[in-house]
């Protein structure tokens, strides 16, 4: 049996219509799920912290490295023992009361940058003025370490 040209066109149009309907149904089912509150799977990347990066941002750890790197322990103990200079235990608490009008941070910075500006009774002006080139961040880190003692 042979189909007429009109029948053949009708058959092809019917097939095309089914393909379009199925394609639209497939596309619309995804948007209906998203619109109806059904969660669609997504990829999530979870960043884990690098412990060494956290340590690098720790001002107390950085201050301790500055303290050790400049051999401050050659003259100062981190406890209460006197070596050449005073022991630094509780230096943050003591610094807050040393000079009227200076905070603990300001007093410690002044004592490091200008060691002869205020001399604690019982000690001489023996600290070298070698810390004038520390950046503000380095000084802040060093002060944070000293206050942690």
């Amino acid at each position: 049996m042979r189909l007429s040209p009109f029948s053949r066109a009708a058959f092809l149009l019917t097939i095309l219509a089914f393909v379009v309907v199925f394609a639209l149904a497939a596309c619309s089912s995804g948007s209906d799920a998203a619109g109806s509150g059904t969660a669609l799977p997504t990829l999530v990347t979870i960043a884990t912290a690098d412990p060494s990066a956290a340590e690098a941002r720790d001002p107390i750890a950085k201050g301790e490295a500055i303290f050790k790197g400049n051999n401050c322990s050659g003259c100062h103990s981190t406890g209460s023992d006197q070596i050449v200079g005073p022991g630094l235990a509780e230096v943050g608490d003591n610094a807050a009361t040393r000079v009227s009008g200076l905070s603990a941070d300001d007093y410690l910075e002044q004592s490091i940058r200008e060691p002869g500006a205020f001399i604690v009774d019982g000690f001489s002006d023996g600290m070298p003025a070698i810390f004038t080139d520390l950046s503000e961040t380095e000084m802040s880190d060093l002060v944070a370490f000293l206050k942690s003692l």
Side-chain angles (χ1 to χ4, degrees):
M1 170 172 159
R2 191 171 163 115
L3 294 175
S4 71
F6 179 74
S7 308
R8 190 176 295 167
F11 176 75
L12 290 176
L13 284 174
T14 303
I15 298 282
L16 181 61
F18 279 119
V19 170
V20 170
V21 167
F22 286 126
L24 289 175
C27 290
S28 67
S29 68
S31 63
D32 287 341
S36 67
T38 303
L40 297 176
T42 58
L43 295 177
V44 177
T45 302
I46 299 173
T48 57
D50 177 6
S52 61
E55 290 172 10
R57 290 187 297 274
D58 179 15
I60 294 173
K62 290 181 101 173
E64 183 177 15
I66 293 167
F67 184 85
K68 288 178 178 178
N70 286 285
N71 198 29
C72 299
S73 60
C75 296
H76 298 279
S77 77
T78 56
S80 57
D81 298 330
Q82 177 182 339
I83 300 175
V84 174
L88 299 175
E90 299 179 4
V91 70
D93 294 335
N94 296 333
T97 62
R98 290 283 185 210
V99 176
S100 179
L102 286 182
S103 67
D105 289 17
D106 292 338
Y107 172 78
L108 290 170
E109 181 173 352
Q110 181 187 52
S111 296
I112 295 166
R113 290 197 193 274
E114 305 167 43
F118 180 82
I119 307 299
V120 175
D121 290 337
F123 294 94
S124 63
D125 182 9
M127 184 166 151
I130 58 172
F131 300 100
T132 57
D133 62 340
L134 290 178
S135 71
E136 288 300 317
T137 302
E138 290 169 326
M139 180 59 70
S140 177
D141 294 342
L142 181 55
V143 167
F145 168 68
L146 293 173
K147 287 173 56 179
S148 75
L149 300 175

